[in-house]
Amino acid sequence: TAALIAVGGYGRGLLFPHSDVDLLLLLESEPDTEVTARLERMIGLFWDIGLDVGHSVRTVRECQEESAKDVTVQTNLLEARKLAGSAKVFELLLSSLHDTLDRRAFLQAKLLEQQQRHARFHDTAYNLEPNLKESPGGLRDLQTVLWISQALKLGGTWKELVTESLITAQEARQIQRNEQYLQGLRIRLHYLAKRREDRLLFDYQTSLAGQLGFKNQKNRSASELLMQRYYRTAKAVSLMNEILLQNLGARLRT
């Protein structure tokens, strides 16, 4: 018995033009030789049709063991979505994760992960060629909030955070506008680079500025105006990330 599960960005229904397609081939028990051969053929077919597949093959028990050791695996499985196969096996996975998730440890691990990521990207959003996904104030800061919120059973959308009184409806709308702006930049960047590229490199800034309607002014170029808009967005995202992580930590302690 098996199920094909979408995880990561694919699991949350958010793929960019050159994103990986993250899949989990979930088995109820260890595969025999015949099942292993079938799985290998299926993965080969995915590559043949042009999918950039990131895949793993695990039993429910192996998922449980790996998620206990690795917060990245645990995070991916939080966003698991069944594509095909056994609903029973998928429900077994969800119930095992629910039973074993240490919410306090997950919160601490994600906070440390974010701290390390920020340090890796110079701990500032004001980088001349920022990474739209990983830099402070980038998309990952928003995802981190929602991952922790999901783990604490407070919802996985901004609307659900409003319901839980963690943010106001106005704040949710502002977050969504900033999120959509960063996502739009990332989509355009992938198309311009014709590959997965998340950095706002100098080579692309002028073209992006033109696509978004920025024009050269007397004292500032179109690309400067684009980057100023980006920096304002990143600053707003960083602020909401900080406030929400504090609120989620406080909610966990109550």
Side-chain angles (χ1 to χ4, degrees):
T1 309
L4 181 64
I5 309 298
V7 293
Y10 189 28
R12 64 178 171 270
L14 190 63
L15 279 183
F16 290 83
H18 291 281
S19 292
D20 296 340
V21 178
D22 294 322
L23 294 172
L24 167 64
L25 299 165
L26 183 65
L27 309 176
E28 188 171 14
S29 57
E30 290 289 340
D32 58 23
T33 305
E34 182 183 351
V35 170
T36 300
R38 287 182 179 179
L39 292 175
E40 289 173 352
R41 286 196 298 272
M42 183 168 68
I43 295 299
L45 176 62
F46 291 154
W47 282 103
D48 289 343
I49 63 175
L51 294 180
D52 189 359
V53 177
H55 73 280
S56 56
V57 180
R58 293 191 179 114
T59 64
V60 173
R61 182 173 180 177
E62 286 170 341
C63 286
Q64 196 173 349
E65 292 169 352
E66 288 300 315
S67 67
K69 294 186 292 186
D70 187 343
V71 72
T72 302
V73 174
Q74 199 167 53
T75 304
N76 274 346
L77 292 176
L78 266 181
E79 300 178 309
R81 176 168 58 93
K82 186 176 80 73
L83 300 174
S86 170
K88 174 191 168 188
V89 173
F90 183 55
E91 289 301 322
L92 277 174
L93 172 68
L94 295 183
S95 61
S96 70
L97 291 173
H98 169 74
D99 293 341
T100 58
L101 180 63
D102 183 333
R103 287 160 180 80
R104 191 175 300 277
F106 184 84
L107 171 65
Q108 292 304 317
K110 298 312 286 185
L111 292 177
L112 177 60
E113 186 179 80
Q114 176 172 290
Q115 185 180 34
Q116 292 171 338
R117 173 170 53 81
H118 284 183
R120 196 164 66 249
F121 285 88
H122 313 299
D123 215 7
T124 176
Y126 296 92
N127 186 313
L128 294 177
E129 295 181 308
N131 187 302
L132 293 169
K133 181 180 177 183
E134 303 287 355
S135 286
L139 289 165
R140 187 65 86 202
D141 281 6
L142 295 174
Q143 290 166 355
T144 296
V145 169
L146 292 180
W147 286 330
I148 293 171
S149 178
Q150 279 181 278
L152 300 184
K153 296 185 178 179
L154 298 172
T157 67
W158 305 117
K159 185 177 179 180
E160 288 173 319
L161 266 62
V162 172
T163 303
E164 291 290 336
S165 300
L166 285 159
I167 51 175
T168 66
Q170 183 179 352
E171 286 169 335
R173 286 193 293 272
Q174 184 61 53
I175 290 171
Q176 287 174 313
R177 281 195 293 269
N178 290 332
E179 184 176 46
Q180 287 167 4
Y181 180 71
L182 293 174
Q183 289 171 347
L185 279 178
R186 193 178 177 205
I187 289 168
R188 290 175 184 275
L189 196 51
H190 279 206
Y191 280 129
L192 273 174
K194 298 179 181 174
R195 59 185 167 84
R196 179 173 177 167
E197 178 57 82
D198 297 330
R199 296 167 297 167
L200 273 174
L201 299 175
F202 292 128
D203 291 349
Y204 305 120
Q205 288 177 14
T206 299
S207 295
L208 278 172
Q211 288 184 14
L212 293 169
F214 291 101
K215 299 184 185 304
N216 292 332
Q217 296 182 357
K218 188 180 293 185
N219 299 320
R220 288 179 294 180
S221 67
S223 61
E224 286 178 291
L225 294 170
L226 166 73
M227 295 310 294
Q228 284 178 353
R229 169 69 193 276
Y230 164 78
Y231 293 135
R232 287 197 300 271
T233 301
K235 185 175 181 180
V237 168
S238 289
L239 180 61
M240 287 310 302
N241 168 271
E242 182 180 351
I243 291 169
L244 279 166
L245 291 180
Q246 288 175 0
N247 289 347
L248 288 166
R251 189 66 67 92
L252 180 63
R253 291 190 292 272
T254 57

